[in-house]
Structures are given as C-alpha cells and as structure tokens.
Amino acid sequence: PNVAQFEARLDSVRAALAREGIDALLVPVADAHHTEWLQPDRRLLEWLVGFAGSFGTAVVTQDGLDFVTDGRYLVAAETEVRI
C-alpha cells in the first residue's frame, strides 16, 4: 500500500474512535493470545502503519499517531512505517 492508503486507514480508525467516543487506541503487534506468528488477518499494526516487525506498538488519537519499537527494529521502522 502507498502512503495515501495508510492515511485513509488511519482516517477510518479515527472516525470510528470519534463515533464511539474513544480518546485513544493502542495497536500492538500482538493479538489477544500473544501468538508468536500472526495470521495475515491479525496483523493490525502492519495494516495500520506498515510495520512488519515482531515488536512494536502504535497509539492513535484524533491529533496524532505515536509509534514505538525497540532498538532491534529502528532501521525497519524507518523504512516500513508509512505514516
């Protein structure tokens, strides 16, 4: 996906947050079961920002998006995160 597609996804998430009255959304790499290898339909962080590493988290608010990972993924994050 290109940057415009990632921005559209982020806009969609923000619209859902506003509709539900939610201030922020935490989007980790992990699923509810902390599965080591996620199925493609469970890779929500990758869908939202493009990051495919095994450790990272995004926080989405109406005003911004913060992304954190550890030092192992700094280079990957710089090249993969599209927002």
Side-chain angles (χ1 to χ4, degrees):
N2 60 39
V3 172
Q5 290 169 311
F6 284 110
E7 289 174 351
R9 292 172 182 178
L10 185 57
D11 289 343
S12 175
V13 169
R14 286 185 171 137
L17 291 175
R19 186 173 55 250
E20 298 297 326
I22 299 171
D23 294 327
L25 177 67
L26 185 69
V27 184
V29 167
D31 66 4
H33 307 286
H34 298 285
T35 308
E36 185 174 355
W37 300 106
L38 297 174
Q39 296 299 314
D41 65 333
R42 300 287 186 230
R43 296 178 187 160
L44 300 180
L45 186 62
E46 186 174 352
W47 174 84
L48 183 62
V49 301
F51 181 72
S54 66
F55 184 82
T57 301
V59 179
V60 180
T61 65
Q62 292 298 331
D63 300 328
L65 180 137
D66 291 317
F67 173 80
V68 295
T69 189
D70 66 28
R72 298 173 294 166
Y73 294 107
L74 292 179
V75 173
E78 289 174 354
T79 59
E80 293 178 4
V81 175
R82 305 280 199 274
I83 298 289

Coordinates of all heavy atoms in Angstrom, one line a residue:
P1 N 0.8 -1.2 0.0 CA 0.0 0.0 0.0 C 0.9 1.3 0.0 O 2.0 1.3 0.5 CB -0.8 -0.1 1.3 CG -0.7 -1.5 1.7 CD 0.5 -2.1 1.1
N2 N 0.3 2.3 -0.5 CA 1.0 3.6 -0.6 C 0.6 4.5 0.6 O -0.3 4.1 1.4 CB 0.8 4.3 -1.9 CG -0.6 4.6 -2.2 OD1 -1.3 5.0 -1.3 ND2 -1.0 4.5 -3.4
V3 N 1.3 5.6 0.7 CA 1.0 6.5 1.9 C -0.4 6.9 1.9 O -1.0 6.9 3.0 CB 1.9 7.7 1.8 CG1 1.6 8.7 2.9 CG2 3.4 7.3 2.0
A4 N -1.1 7.2 0.8 CA -2.5 7.6 0.8 C -3.4 6.5 1.3 O -4.3 6.8 2.0 CB -2.9 8.0 -0.6
Q5 N -3.1 5.3 1.0 CA -3.9 4.2 1.6 C -3.7 4.0 3.1 O -4.7 3.8 3.8 CB -3.5 2.9 0.9 CG -3.9 2.8 -0.6 CD -3.3 1.7 -1.3 OE1 -2.1 1.4 -1.3 NE2 -4.2 0.9 -2.0
F6 N -2.5 4.2 3.6 CA -2.3 4.2 5.0 C -3.0 5.4 5.7 O -3.6 5.2 6.8 CB -0.8 4.2 5.4 CG -0.2 2.8 5.2 CD1 0.7 2.6 4.2 CD2 -0.5 1.8 6.0 CE1 1.3 1.4 4.0 CE2 0.1 0.5 5.8 CZ 1.0 0.3 4.8
E7 N -3.0 6.5 5.1 CA -3.6 7.7 5.6 C -5.2 7.5 5.7 O -5.8 7.9 6.6 CB -3.3 9.0 4.9 CG -1.9 9.4 5.1 CD -1.4 10.6 4.3 OE1 -2.2 11.0 3.3 OE2 -0.3 11.1 4.5
A8 N -5.7 6.8 4.6 CA -7.1 6.5 4.6 C -7.5 5.6 5.7 O -8.6 5.7 6.3 CB -7.5 6.0 3.2
R9 N -6.7 4.6 6.0 CA -6.9 3.6 7.1 C -6.9 4.4 8.4 O -7.8 4.1 9.2 CB -5.8 2.5 7.0 CG -6.0 1.6 5.8 CD -4.8 0.7 5.8 NE -4.9 -0.2 4.6 CZ -4.0 -1.0 4.2 NH1 -2.9 -1.3 5.0 NH2 -4.2 -1.8 3.1
L10 N -5.9 5.2 8.6 CA -5.9 6.0 9.8 C -7.1 6.9 10.0 O -7.6 7.0 11.1 CB -4.6 6.8 9.8 CG -4.3 7.6 11.1 CD1 -4.2 6.7 12.3 CD2 -3.0 8.3 11.0
D11 N -7.5 7.5 8.9 CA -8.7 8.3 9.0 C -9.9 7.5 9.4 O -10.8 7.9 10.1 CB -9.0 9.0 7.6 CG -8.0 10.1 7.3 OD1 -7.3 10.6 8.2 OD2 -7.9 10.5 6.1
S12 N -10.0 6.3 8.8 CA -11.1 5.4 9.2 C -11.1 5.0 10.6 O -12.2 5.0 11.3 CB -11.0 4.1 8.3 OG -12.0 3.2 8.6
V13 N -9.9 4.7 11.2 CA -9.8 4.4 12.6 C -10.2 5.6 13.4 O -11.0 5.5 14.4 CB -8.4 3.9 12.9 CG1 -8.2 3.8 14.4 CG2 -8.1 2.6 12.3
R14 N -9.7 6.8 13.0 CA -10.1 8.0 13.8 C -11.6 8.3 13.8 O -12.2 8.7 14.8 CB -9.3 9.2 13.3 CG -7.8 9.1 13.7 CD -7.1 10.4 13.3 NE -5.8 10.4 13.8 CZ -4.7 10.7 13.2 NH1 -4.8 11.1 11.9 NH2 -3.5 10.7 13.8
A15 N -12.2 8.0 12.7 CA -13.7 8.2 12.6 C -14.4 7.3 13.5 O -15.4 7.6 14.2 CB -14.1 8.0 11.1
A16 N -13.9 6.0 13.6 CA -14.5 5.0 14.5 C -14.3 5.4 15.9 O -15.2 5.3 16.8 CB -14.0 3.6 14.2
L17 N -13.1 6.0 16.2 CA -12.9 6.4 17.6 C -13.8 7.5 18.0 O -14.4 7.6 19.1 CB -11.4 6.9 17.8 CG -10.3 5.8 17.7 CD1 -9.0 6.5 17.7 CD2 -10.5 4.8 18.8
A18 N -14.0 8.5 17.1 CA -14.9 9.6 17.3 C -16.3 9.2 17.5 O -17.0 9.6 18.4 CB -14.8 10.7 16.2
R19 N -16.8 8.3 16.6 CA -18.1 7.8 16.7 C -18.4 7.1 18.0 O -19.5 7.2 18.5 CB -18.3 6.8 15.5 CG -19.7 6.3 15.3 CD -19.9 5.5 14.0 NE -19.0 4.4 13.9 CZ -17.9 4.4 13.0 NH1 -17.7 5.4 12.1 NH2 -17.1 3.3 12.9
E20 N -17.4 6.4 18.5 CA -17.6 5.6 19.7 C -17.2 6.4 21.0 O -17.3 5.9 22.1 CB -16.8 4.3 19.7 CG -17.2 3.4 18.6 CD -18.6 2.9 18.7 OE1 -19.1 2.7 19.8 OE2 -19.3 2.7 17.7
G21 N -16.7 7.6 20.8 CA -16.3 8.4 22.0 C -15.1 7.9 22.7 O -14.9 8.1 23.9
I22 N -14.2 7.3 21.9 CA -12.9 6.8 22.4 C -11.8 7.8 22.2 O -11.7 8.3 21.1 CB -12.6 5.4 21.8 CG1 -13.7 4.4 22.1 CG2 -11.3 4.9 22.3 CD1 -13.7 3.1 21.4
D23 N -11.0 8.1 23.2 CA -9.9 9.1 23.1 C -8.7 8.5 22.4 O -8.0 9.3 21.7 CB -9.5 9.6 24.5 CG -10.6 10.4 25.1 OD1 -11.4 11.0 24.4 OD2 -10.7 10.3 26.4
A24 N -8.4 7.3 22.6 CA -7.1 6.7 22.0 C -7.3 5.2 21.8 O -8.1 4.6 22.4 CB -6.0 7.0 22.9
L25 N -6.5 4.7 20.8 CA -6.5 3.3 20.6 C -5.1 2.8 20.6 O -4.2 3.3 19.9 CB -7.1 3.0 19.2 CG -7.1 1.5 18.7 CD1 -8.0 0.7 19.6 CD2 -7.5 1.5 17.3
L26 N -4.8 1.8 21.4 CA -3.5 1.1 21.4 C -3.5 0.0 20.4 O -4.4 -0.9 20.5 CB -3.3 0.6 22.9 CG -1.9 0.0 23.2 CD1 -0.8 1.1 23.1 CD2 -1.9 -0.7 24.5
V27 N -2.5 0.0 19.5 CA -2.4 -1.1 18.5 C -1.1 -1.8 18.6 O -0.1 -1.3 18.1 CB -2.6 -0.5 17.1 CG1 -2.6 -1.6 16.0 CG2 -3.9 0.3 17.0
P28 N -1.0 -2.9 19.3 CA 0.2 -3.6 19.4 C 0.4 -4.6 18.3 O -0.5 -4.9 17.5 CB 0.0 -4.4 20.7 CG -1.4 -4.7 20.8 CD -2.1 -3.5 20.1
V29 N 1.6 -5.2 18.2 CA 1.9 -6.2 17.2 C 1.1 -7.5 17.6 O 0.6 -8.2 16.8 CB 3.4 -6.5 17.1 CG1 3.6 -7.8 16.4 CG2 4.1 -5.4 16.4
A30 N 1.0 -7.8 18.9 CA 0.5 -9.0 19.4 C -1.1 -9.0 19.2 O -1.7 -8.0 19.2 CB 0.8 -9.1 20.9
D31 N -1.6 -10.3 19.2 CA -3.0 -10.4 19.2 C -3.5 -10.7 20.6 O -2.7 -10.7 21.6 CB -3.5 -11.5 18.2 CG -3.0 -12.9 18.6 OD1 -2.4 -13.1 19.7 OD2 -3.2 -13.9 17.8
A32 N -4.7 -11.0 20.8 CA -5.3 -11.2 22.2 C -4.6 -12.4 22.9 O -4.7 -12.5 24.1 CB -6.8 -11.4 22.1
H33 N -4.1 -13.4 22.1 CA -3.5 -14.6 22.7 C -2.0 -14.5 22.7 O -1.3 -15.5 23.1 CB -3.9 -15.8 21.9 CG -5.4 -15.9 21.7 ND1 -6.2 -16.2 22.8 CD2 -6.2 -15.6 20.7 CE1 -7.5 -16.2 22.4 NE2 -7.5 -15.8 21.1
H34 N -1.4 -13.4 22.3 CA 0.1 -13.2 22.3 C 0.7 -14.3 21.4 O 1.8 -14.9 21.7 CB 0.7 -13.2 23.7 CG 0.2 -12.0 24.4 ND1 0.6 -10.7 24.2 CD2 -0.8 -12.0 25.4 CE1 -0.1 -9.9 25.0 NE2 -0.9 -10.7 25.8
T35 N 0.1 -14.6 20.3 CA 0.6 -15.6 19.3 C 1.9 -15.1 18.7 O 2.0 -13.9 18.4 CB -0.5 -15.8 18.2 OG1 -1.7 -16.1 18.8 CG2 0.0 -16.9 17.3
E36 N 2.9 -16.0 18.7 CA 4.2 -15.6 18.1 C 4.1 -15.2 16.6 O 4.7 -14.3 16.2 CB 5.2 -16.6 18.4 CG 6.6 -16.2 17.9 CD 7.6 -17.3 18.3 OE1 7.3 -18.2 19.0 OE2 8.8 -17.1 17.9
W37 N 3.4 -16.1 15.9 CA 3.3 -15.8 14.4 C 1.9 -15.5 14.1 O 1.0 -16.4 14.1 CB 3.8 -17.1 13.7 CG 5.2 -17.4 14.0 CD1 5.6 -18.5 14.7 CD2 6.3 -16.7 13.5 NE1 7.0 -18.5 14.8 CE2 7.5 -17.4 14.1 CE3 6.6 -15.6 12.8 CZ2 8.8 -17.0 13.9 CZ3 7.9 -15.2 12.6 CH2 9.0 -15.9 13.1
L38 N 1.6 -14.3 13.8 CA 0.3 -13.8 13.5 C -0.2 -14.2 12.1 O 0.6 -14.1 11.1 CB 0.2 -12.3 13.7 CG 0.5 -11.8 15.1 CD1 0.5 -10.2 15.0 CD2 -0.6 -12.3 16.0
Q39 N -1.4 -14.6 12.0 CA -2.0 -14.8 10.7 C -2.2 -13.4 10.0 O -2.3 -12.4 10.7 CB -3.4 -15.4 10.8 CG -3.3 -16.8 11.4 CD -2.5 -17.8 10.5 OE1 -2.7 -17.8 9.3 NE2 -1.6 -18.5 11.1
P40 N -2.2 -13.4 8.7 CA -2.3 -12.1 8.0 C -3.5 -11.2 8.4 O -3.4 -10.0 8.5 CB -2.4 -12.5 6.5 CG -1.7 -13.8 6.4 CD -2.0 -14.5 7.8
D41 N -4.6 -11.8 8.7 CA -5.8 -11.0 9.1 C -5.7 -10.5 10.6 O -6.6 -9.8 11.0 CB -7.1 -11.8 8.9 CG -7.2 -13.0 9.8 OD1 -6.1 -13.6 10.2 OD2 -8.3 -13.4 10.1
R42 N -4.6 -10.9 11.3 CA -4.4 -10.4 12.7 C -3.3 -9.4 12.8 O -2.9 -9.0 13.9 CB -4.1 -11.6 13.6 CG -5.2 -12.6 13.7 CD -6.4 -12.1 14.4 NE -7.4 -13.1 14.6 CZ -8.7 -12.9 14.4 NH1 -9.1 -11.8 13.9 NH2 -9.5 -13.9 14.6
R43 N -2.7 -9.1 11.7 CA -1.5 -8.1 11.7 C -2.0 -6.7 11.6 O -1.8 -6.0 10.6 CB -0.6 -8.4 10.5 CG 0.0 -9.8 10.6 CD 0.9 -10.1 9.5 NE 1.4 -11.5 9.6 CZ 1.8 -12.2 8.6 NH1 1.9 -11.7 7.4 NH2 2.2 -13.5 8.7
L44 N -2.7 -6.2 12.7 CA -3.3 -4.9 12.7 C -2.3 -3.8 12.6 O -2.6 -2.8 12.0 CB -4.2 -4.8 13.9 CG -5.3 -5.9 14.0 CD1 -6.2 -5.7 15.2 CD2 -6.2 -5.9 12.7
L45 N -1.2 -3.9 13.3 CA -0.2 -2.8 13.3 C 0.3 -2.7 11.9 O 0.5 -1.6 11.4 CB 0.9 -3.0 14.3 CG 1.9 -1.9 14.4 CD1 1.2 -0.6 14.9 CD2 3.0 -2.3 15.4
E46 N 0.6 -3.8 11.2 CA 1.1 -3.8 9.9 C 0.1 -3.2 8.9 O 0.4 -2.4 8.1 CB 1.5 -5.2 9.4 CG 2.2 -5.2 8.0 CD 2.6 -6.6 7.7 OE1 2.6 -7.5 8.5 OE2 3.0 -6.8 6.5
W47 N -1.2 -3.5 9.1 CA -2.2 -3.0 8.3 C -2.3 -1.4 8.5 O -2.5 -0.7 7.5 CB -3.6 -3.6 8.7 CG -4.8 -3.0 8.0 CD1 -5.2 -3.3 6.7 CD2 -5.6 -2.0 8.5 NE1 -6.3 -2.5 6.5 CE2 -6.6 -1.7 7.6 CE3 -5.7 -1.3 9.7 CZ2 -7.6 -0.8 7.7 CZ3 -6.7 -0.4 9.9 CH2 -7.6 -0.2 8.9
L48 N -2.2 -1.0 9.7 CA -2.4 0.4 10.0 C -1.2 1.3 9.6 O -1.4 2.4 9.0 CB -2.7 0.6 11.5 CG -2.9 2.0 12.0 CD1 -4.2 2.6 11.3 CD2 -3.1 2.1 13.5
V49 N 0.0 0.9 9.9 CA 1.2 1.7 9.6 C 2.2 1.1 8.7 O 3.2 1.8 8.3 CB 1.9 2.2 10.9 CG1 0.9 3.0 11.8 CG2 2.5 1.1 11.7
G50 N 2.2 -0.2 8.4 CA 3.1 -0.8 7.5 C 4.3 -1.5 8.2 O 5.1 -2.2 7.6
F51 N 4.3 -1.5 9.6 CA 5.4 -2.1 10.3 C 5.2 -3.6 10.4 O 4.2 -4.1 10.9 CB 5.6 -1.5 11.7 CG 6.7 -2.1 12.5 CD1 8.0 -1.8 12.2 CD2 6.4 -2.9 13.6 CE1 9.0 -2.3 12.9 CE2 7.5 -3.4 14.3 CZ 8.8 -3.1 14.0
A52 N 6.2 -4.4 10.0 CA 6.0 -5.9 10.0 C 6.9 -6.6 11.0 O 7.0 -7.8 11.0 CB 6.4 -6.4 8.6
G53 N 7.6 -5.8 11.8 CA 8.5 -6.4 12.9 C 7.6 -7.2 13.9 O 6.4 -7.1 14.0
S54 N 8.4 -7.9 14.8 CA 7.7 -8.6 15.8 C 7.5 -7.9 17.1 O 6.9 -8.4 18.1 CB 8.4 -9.9 16.1 OG 9.7 -9.6 16.7
F55 N 7.9 -6.6 17.2 CA 7.7 -5.9 18.5 C 7.5 -4.4 18.1 O 8.4 -3.8 17.6 CB 8.9 -6.0 19.4 CG 8.7 -5.3 20.7 CD1 8.0 -5.9 21.7 CD2 9.2 -4.0 20.9 CE1 7.7 -5.2 22.9 CE2 8.9 -3.3 22.1 CZ 8.2 -3.9 23.1
G56 N 6.3 -3.9 18.4 CA 6.0 -2.5 18.2 C 4.6 -2.2 18.6 O 3.8 -3.1 18.8
T57 N 4.3 -1.0 18.9 CA 3.0 -0.5 19.3 C 2.7 0.9 18.7 O 3.7 1.7 18.7 CB 2.9 -0.5 20.8 OG1 3.1 -1.8 21.3 CG2 1.5 -0.1 21.3
A58 N 1.5 1.1 18.3 CA 1.1 2.4 17.9 C 0.0 2.9 18.8 O -0.8 2.1 19.3 CB 0.6 2.4 16.5
V59 N -0.1 4.2 19.1 CA -1.2 4.8 19.8 C -1.8 5.8 18.9 O -1.1 6.8 18.4 CB -0.7 5.5 21.1 CG1 -1.9 6.1 21.8 CG2 0.0 4.5 22.0
V60 N -3.1 5.6 18.6 CA -3.8 6.5 17.7 C -4.7 7.4 18.5 O -5.5 6.9 19.3 CB -4.6 5.7 16.7 CG1 -5.4 6.6 15.7 CG2 -3.8 4.7 15.9
T61 N -4.6 8.7 18.2 CA -5.6 9.7 18.8 C -6.1 10.5 17.6 O -5.6 10.4 16.5 CB -4.9 10.6 19.8 OG1 -3.9 11.4 19.1 CG2 -4.2 9.8 20.9
Q62 N -7.0 11.4 17.9 CA -7.5 12.3 16.9 C -6.5 13.2 16.4 O -6.5 13.7 15.2 CB -8.8 13.1 17.4 CG -10.0 12.2 17.7 CD -10.5 11.5 16.4 OE1 -10.3 12.0 15.3 NE2 -11.1 10.4 16.6
D63 N -5.5 13.6 17.2 CA -4.5 14.6 16.9 C -3.2 14.0 16.4 O -2.3 14.7 16.0 CB -4.2 15.5 18.1 CG -5.4 16.2 18.5 OD1 -6.3 16.5 17.7 OD2 -5.6 16.5 19.7
G64 N -3.0 12.7 16.5 CA -1.7 12.1 16.2 C -1.6 10.6 16.2 O -2.6 9.9 16.5
L65 N -0.4 10.2 15.9 CA -0.1 8.7 16.0 C 1.3 8.6 16.5 O 2.2 9.2 15.9 CB -0.2 8.1 14.6 CG 0.1 6.6 14.6 CD1 -1.0 5.9 13.7 CD2 1.4 6.3 14.0
D66 N 1.5 7.9 17.5 CA 2.8 7.6 18.0 C 3.1 6.2 17.8 O 2.3 5.3 18.0 CB 2.9 7.9 19.5 CG 2.8 9.4 19.8 OD1 3.4 10.2 19.1 OD2 2.1 9.8 20.7
F67 N 4.4 5.9 17.4 CA 4.8 4.5 17.2 C 6.1 4.3 18.0 O 7.0 5.1 18.0 CB 5.1 4.3 15.7 CG 5.7 3.0 15.4 CD1 4.9 1.8 15.3 CD2 7.1 2.8 15.2 CE1 5.5 0.6 15.1 CE2 7.7 1.6 15.0 CZ 6.8 0.5 14.9
V68 N 6.1 3.1 18.7 CA 7.3 2.8 19.4 C 7.7 1.3 19.1 O 6.9 0.5 18.8 CB 7.1 2.9 21.0 CG1 6.9 4.4 21.3 CG2 6.0 2.1 21.5
T69 N 9.0 1.1 19.1 CA 9.6 -0.2 19.0 C 10.9 -0.2 19.7 O 11.3 0.8 20.3 CB 9.7 -0.6 17.5 OG1 10.1 -2.0 17.4 CG2 10.8 0.2 16.8
D70 N 11.6 -1.4 19.8 CA 12.9 -1.4 20.4 C 14.0 -1.2 19.4 O 13.8 -1.2 18.2 CB 13.0 -2.6 21.3 CG 13.1 -3.9 20.6 OD1 13.5 -3.9 19.4 OD2 12.7 -4.9 21.2
G71 N 15.2 -1.2 19.9 CA 16.4 -0.9 19.1 C 16.6 -1.9 18.0 O 17.2 -1.5 17.0
R72 N 16.1 -3.1 18.1 CA 16.3 -4.1 17.0 C 15.6 -3.7 15.7 O 16.0 -4.1 14.7 CB 15.8 -5.5 17.5 CG 16.4 -6.1 18.7 CD 15.7 -7.3 19.1 NE 14.4 -7.0 19.6 CZ 13.4 -7.9 19.7 NH1 13.6 -9.1 19.5 NH2 12.2 -7.5 20.2
Y73 N 14.6 -2.8 15.8 CA 13.8 -2.5 14.7 C 13.9 -1.1 14.2 O 13.0 -0.7 13.5 CB 12.3 -2.9 15.0 CG 12.1 -4.4 15.2 CD1 11.9 -4.9 16.4 CD2 12.2 -5.2 14.1 CE1 11.8 -6.3 16.6 CE2 12.0 -6.6 14.2 CZ 11.8 -7.1 15.5 OH 11.7 -8.5 15.7
L74 N 14.8 -0.3 14.7 CA 14.9 1.1 14.3 C 15.0 1.3 12.8 O 14.3 2.1 12.2 CB 16.1 1.8 15.0 CG 15.9 1.9 16.5 CD1 17.1 2.6 17.1 CD2 14.6 2.7 16.8
V75 N 15.9 0.5 12.1 CA 16.1 0.6 10.7 C 14.8 0.2 10.0 O 14.3 0.9 9.1 CB 17.3 -0.1 10.2 CG1 17.4 -0.1 8.7 CG2 18.6 0.5 10.8
A76 N 14.2 -0.9 10.4 CA 13.0 -1.4 9.8 C 11.9 -0.4 10.0 O 11.1 -0.2 9.0 CB 12.6 -2.8 10.4
A77 N 11.8 0.2 11.1 CA 10.7 1.1 11.4 C 10.9 2.4 10.5 O 9.9 2.9 10.0 CB 10.7 1.5 12.9
E78 N 12.1 2.8 10.3 CA 12.3 4.0 9.5 C 11.9 3.7 8.0 O 11.5 4.6 7.3 CB 13.8 4.4 9.5 CG 14.2 5.0 10.8 CD 15.7 5.3 10.9 OE1 16.4 4.9 10.0 OE2 16.0 5.9 11.9
T79 N 12.0 2.5 7.6 CA 11.7 2.2 6.2 C 10.3 1.7 6.0 O 9.7 1.8 4.9 CB 12.7 1.2 5.6 OG1 12.6 0.0 6.3 CG2 14.1 1.7 5.6
E80 N 9.7 1.0 7.0 CA 8.4 0.4 6.8 C 7.2 1.3 7.3 O 6.2 1.2 6.7 CB 8.3 -0.9 7.6 CG 9.2 -2.0 7.1 CD 9.2 -3.3 7.9 OE1 8.4 -3.3 8.9 OE2 10.0 -4.2 7.6
V81 N 7.4 2.1 8.3 CA 6.3 2.9 8.8 C 6.0 4.0 7.8 O 6.8 4.8 7.5 CB 6.6 3.4 10.2 CG1 5.5 4.4 10.7 CG2 6.8 2.3 11.2
R82 N 4.7 4.0 7.3 CA 4.3 4.8 6.2 C 3.6 6.1 6.6 O 3.2 6.9 5.8 CB 3.5 4.1 5.2 CG 4.1 2.8 4.7 CD 5.1 3.1 3.6 NE 5.3 1.9 2.8 CZ 6.2 1.0 3.0 NH1 6.9 1.0 4.1 NH2 6.4 0.0 2.2
I83 N 3.3 6.2 7.9 CA 2.5 7.4 8.4 C 3.4 8.3 9.1 O 4.3 8.0 9.9 CB 1.4 6.9 9.3 CG1 0.4 6.0 8.6 CG2 0.7 8.1 9.9 CD1 -0.4 6.6 7.5

